[in-house]
């Protein structure tokens, strides 16, 4: 079992100490738990159009039962003029000037000092942007910078 390679001997002795939410494998999306699906299904009972939102985010389709939207999610390279700037500046400019909503960043592990690359959803306003960052955006058409 490959997962056991990532678990220390102390975690084998006390399964409650195994905090999978902070493990690099989980954070980078390489491993997920069935409880995520359980939670999503329970939430869909009370919020029926949550399924449509998941479809929009995962399939790229812009037509669902509840929504007929004109925007899609794209991943773009960080425009060079924002390297070293804050996420707040990027978000504000993209929203006000380009009519694009920034959702988060895909961060390369080399520049960020992380063990693995990761997705940073809704970064804090003072997050400094790196040259290798990619940006998840909601836009009517694929942005070109």
């Amino acid at each position: 079992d490959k997962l056991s390679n990532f678990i220390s001997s102390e975690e084998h002795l006390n399964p409650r100490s195994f905090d999978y939410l902070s493990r690099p494998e989980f954070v980078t999306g390489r491993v997920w738990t069935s409880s995520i699906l359980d939670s999503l299904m329970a939430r869909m009972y009370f919020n029926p159009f949550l399924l449509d939102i998941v479809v929009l985010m995962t399939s790229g389709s812009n037509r669902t039962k509840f929504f007929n939207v004109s925007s899609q999610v794209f991943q773009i390279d960080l425009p060079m003029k924002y390297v070293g700037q804050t996420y707040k500046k990027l978000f504000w400019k993209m929203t006000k000037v380009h009519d694009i909503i920034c959702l988060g960043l895909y961060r390369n592990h080399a520049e960020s000092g992380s063990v693995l690359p990761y997705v940073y959803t809704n970064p804090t306003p003072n997050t400094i942007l790196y040259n290798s960052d990619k940006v998840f955006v909601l836009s009517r058409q694929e942005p070109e910078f």
Side-chain angles (χ1 to χ4, degrees):
D1 152 3
K2 292 184 179 184
L3 184 58
S4 64
N5 295 335
F6 299 106
I7 303 173
S8 70
S9 59
E10 181 181 305
E11 290 168 333
H12 277 296
L13 297 174
N14 183 3
R16 289 180 178 239
S17 72
F18 182 61
D19 180 18
Y20 65 89
L21 293 174
S22 63
R23 303 299 289 201
E25 301 76 28
F26 182 81
V27 173
T28 57
R30 294 179 181 180
V31 175
W32 61 279
T33 66
S34 60
S35 64
I36 293 171
L37 182 59
D38 295 342
S39 174
L40 185 60
M41 289 181 67
R43 289 173 193 257
M44 279 192 263
Y45 178 79
F46 296 103
N47 300 300
F49 48 91
L50 184 59
L51 177 60
D52 284 343
I53 293 170
V54 171
V55 169
L56 285 168
M57 298 292 283
T58 58
S59 73
S61 171
N62 61 355
R63 304 225 188 302
T64 65
K65 181 179 176 183
F66 290 106
F67 298 108
N68 183 5
V69 296
S70 59
S71 297
Q72 294 183 18
V73 176
F74 297 97
Q75 182 186 54
I76 62 170
D77 291 329
L78 178 69
M80 289 303 295
K81 65 183 176 183
Y82 296 106
V83 174
Q85 302 292 324
T86 63
Y87 183 76
K88 178 180 179 179
K89 183 173 184 178
L90 171 72
F91 186 90
W92 189 87
K93 286 283 192 181
M94 290 291 191
T95 304
K96 298 294 184 187
V97 176
H98 302 289
D99 200 25
I100 294 172
I101 297 174
C102 297
L103 304 172
L105 303 171
Y106 179 82
R107 294 220 119 158
N108 184 329
H109 64 288
E111 281 192 73
S112 67
S114 174
V115 176
L116 297 168
Y118 61 96
V119 173
Y120 189 3
T121 309
N122 193 24
T124 59
N126 61 348
T127 300
I128 301 298
L129 302 171
Y130 302 126
N131 184 46
S132 61
D133 285 341
K134 303 228 182 267
V135 186
F136 290 102
V137 298
L138 190 60
S139 177
R140 289 190 182 101
Q141 59 189 18
E142 187 166 5
E144 294 181 19
F145 293 99

